[in-house]
Amino acid sequence: MMAFFMVFTQNILGMASVLVGGIATGMRVFDALTDPIVGFLIDKTDGKFGKYRPYMVIGSVIMNVSMIAIFFCPSTLPSVAKLIYIIGFYALYVIGYTCQTCVTKGGQTAITNDPEQRPVFTISDSIASSLVNAGLSFFLTTMLAPKYEGGLLNPVVWQKIVFIAVGIQIFFTVLAILGIWEKDRTEYFGFGQKNDAKFSFKEFGRILVGNKGLRYLMISANTEKIGWMIYNSTVVYFYANILVNSSLQGTLATAAIIPTILASTVGPIIARKKGMKKIYVISNVCSLICIGGILLLRPDANYGMPLLIMIMLERAAATVSVYLSNPMIADCADYELYRTGRYIPGMVGSLFSFADKFVSSLSTFILGVALAIAGYGDKVITPNVPAEGTLRTTLLICMFVIPAVCHVVSLISMKFYPLDGKTMMKVQIENAQKRHQAKN
């Protein structure tokens, strides 16, 4: 839902693109700063309700209340009041979001440490996310918006879709809580003992220096995330102003579910035998090749089926690598346990998230600045009107060229990532031996 933040605030609330980009960037930086705090608290928590479940519940409540408030922001508010309102509720949303994302990264270490099981997380994660994102996008652009005068420029459209998004979020939070319930206990944390070790925020520096796997995964995955987010921020404009068919976004996203599910299933299955690093690299290369094909086809209003197929394949490949980074973070946490004997998945995961959010905070700001340079910083970009000249070039650069550059940087970083399949098998065997010794 928050991928539509820039479209909503610029076209409904009348806020300038550079201002909106600045807000989004500032909030992502704030989001990054909250990660180490929440990760630290998670590692200190081990009560009757477990280590992870309390943060899942708290995060869900905060996220949903603030998201409803954002998309119900009165457009009649004075400019300063509107700015304060949006910043305040966005900051609140960030706190809830951080609580849940830190659990996503840290909780996997409790669910399983089997190198053959862990990639399976990517299958359910990417398929569920693709189904929800495609379904929400299809419903918004193809079914809901056409029913109202002005379509996506009508505030009522956004007020209706946000409640659907909230319902979906609550549903999946309940499933997540049920899924981790059995393993959210001390015996599944690290070596199966209470974590009585004294540690402070200084540990973040020691982790970053000593954990080579986490260091290079941060560079690779977070660079790729920039391209992913800029793509998602630009995609509405691409369909509405490059292909000049805004309803096609939802339709194509729905059609892309099939190749995405296939890629998201086959990739992790191979990763179970060959290691997650190999599939992560392959998916990056495939996405990069597809981007080259898209640009060669010169997308415009006279698009054909080859272009649409190439777009679907690119999203399928990119989805695999983006979601595969989550279980790879769990590998880094287990590597930290192997390396130092400390079970601190919250701190390992939040350190990754800190860099992720700090770096990817640039994405919306980059798009905002790019639109301002193109002369559309404070203008409404009307849907289904062809983008020409500088605006067209700007949208294509943000949609495809920047993600392509990010893929290249990501692949270079993976050359130095040490946690391949063989290394992780060695790590898990030694951790299992130490766990057995501690139990006896």
Side-chain angles (χ1 to χ4, degrees):
M1 192 67 208
M2 294 302 285
F4 297 110
F5 176 76
M6 189 162 192
V7 176
F8 172 78
T9 49
Q10 183 175 353
N11 291 343
I12 302 297
L13 300 183
M15 301 172 75
S17 66
V18 174
L19 178 61
V20 174
I23 293 172
T25 299
M27 288 300 103
R28 292 292 290 183
V29 172
F30 175 65
D31 193 1
L33 294 175
T34 60
D35 269 294
I37 298 172
V38 174
F40 183 82
L41 292 174
I42 287 175
D43 286 336
K44 289 286 189 180
T45 302
D46 189 359
K48 291 182 178 179
F49 199 45
K51 178 185 289 288
Y52 301 107
R53 286 169 288 170
Y55 297 93
M56 298 163 80
V57 174
I58 293 169
S60 180
V61 172
I62 295 175
M63 281 176 67
N64 291 322
V65 169
S66 53
M67 192 161 61
I68 291 171
I70 288 171
F71 286 93
F72 270 80
C73 177
S75 58
T76 54
L77 281 177
S79 298
V80 175
K82 193 185 297 180
L83 181 63
I84 295 172
Y85 180 99
I86 289 294
I87 291 175
F89 280 108
Y90 204 147
L92 190 63
Y93 168 86
V94 161
I95 295 172
Y97 178 75
T98 299
C99 288
Q100 290 215 330
T101 55
C102 282
V103 170
T104 302
K105 294 171 177 64
Q108 292 176 69
T109 58
I111 290 174
T112 181
N113 51 26
D114 186 338
E116 289 195 5
Q117 290 182 5
R118 189 162 281 167
V120 176
F121 177 85
T122 306
I123 298 176
S124 57
D125 187 20
S126 57
I127 291 175
S129 297
S130 298
L131 287 171
V132 171
N133 289 336
L136 195 69
S137 177
F138 178 81
F139 185 78
L140 172 63
T141 61
T142 307
M143 299 179 65
L144 186 61
K147 291 183 178 180
Y148 291 87
E149 184 179 354
L152 294 176
L153 299 180
N154 192 323
V156 177
V157 172
W158 299 98
Q159 292 170 0
K160 288 188 177 294
I161 198 71
V162 73
F163 280 112
I164 295 173
V166 165
I168 293 170
Q169 204 283 330
I170 292 172
F171 173 72
F172 278 107
T173 295
V174 171
L175 289 185
I177 290 171
L178 294 174
I180 201 173
W181 195 288
E182 182 184 346
K183 295 293 187 75
D184 196 11
R185 304 201 306 265
T186 304
E187 55 262 44
Y188 295 103
F189 303 154
F191 296 139
Q193 299 172 318
K194 283 280 186 181
N195 191 359
D196 297 323
K198 301 290 184 181
F199 54 89
S200 65
F201 282 98
K202 293 180 180 178
E203 294 299 320
F204 285 109
R206 297 190 183 102
I207 295 169
L208 189 59
V209 171
N211 197 318
K212 184 180 179 181
L214 179 63
R215 193 163 64 247
Y216 282 106
L217 180 63
M218 284 167 61
I219 297 170
S220 178
N222 293 336
T223 304
E224 188 183 357
K225 188 69 172 289
I226 295 177
W228 173 268
M229 292 192 66
I230 291 177
Y231 180 104
N232 288 338
S233 297
T234 314
V235 70
V236 174
Y237 298 121
F238 174 76
Y239 285 101
N241 304 105
I242 298 294
L243 302 187
V244 198
N245 186 353
S246 59
S247 64
L248 180 64
Q249 179 182 349
T251 304
L252 197 63
T254 304
I257 289 175
I258 295 175
T260 299
I261 288 176
L262 287 174
S264 301
T265 303
V266 173
I269 288 174
I270 298 173
R272 296 180 70 181
K273 300 299 181 183
K274 302 294 184 180
M276 289 187 280
K277 175 181 177 179
K278 183 176 287 292
I279 296 303
Y280 180 88
V281 169
I282 291 173
S283 60
N284 262 279
V285 171
C286 290
S287 179
L288 190 58
I289 292 171
C290 289
I291 288 175
I294 291 168
L295 292 175
L296 287 174
L297 289 170
R298 298 178 179 275
D300 57 23
N302 298 314
Y303 58 87
M305 188 56 67
L307 176 68
L308 302 184
I309 291 173
M310 198 65 72
I311 290 173
M312 288 191 290
L313 292 177
E314 190 281 326
R315 282 295 86 186
T319 298
V320 174
S321 57
V322 166
Y323 287 101
L324 197 61
S325 64
N326 275 328
M328 291 173 77
I329 297 166
D331 279 358
C332 293
D334 285 340
Y335 179 63
E336 185 67 20
L337 180 66
Y338 161 83
R339 194 177 67 86
T340 66
R342 299 175 302 176
Y343 180 68
I344 47 176
M347 297 181 76
V348 171
S350 63
L351 186 57
F352 177 92
S353 292
F354 172 80
D356 171 25
K357 293 169 182 176
F358 188 80
V359 173
S360 62
S361 65
L362 299 172
S363 60
T364 308
F365 183 68
I366 290 171
L367 177 59
V369 171
L371 289 175
I373 293 172
Y376 285 80
D378 54 357
K379 296 179 182 178
V380 173
I381 302 175
T382 307
N384 301 321
V385 173
E388 298 178 352
T390 308
L391 178 60
R392 172 183 166 78
T393 302
T394 298
L395 293 177
L396 289 177
I397 288 174
C398 291
M399 187 81 171
F400 300 114
V401 177
I402 294 177
V405 173
C406 291
H407 280 311
V408 172
V409 174
S410 178
L411 288 168
I412 293 172
S413 301
M414 269 292 111
K415 292 285 290 182
F416 303 97
Y417 179 72
L419 304 183
D420 55 18
K422 290 182 179 179
T423 302
M424 281 312 302
M425 186 62 72
K426 175 185 175 183
V427 166
Q428 298 299 2
I429 289 173
E430 187 161 326
N431 282 349
Q433 291 172 346
K434 291 179 180 178
R435 191 176 297 110
H436 180 72
Q437 292 170 1
K439 204 174 280 186
N440 293 331

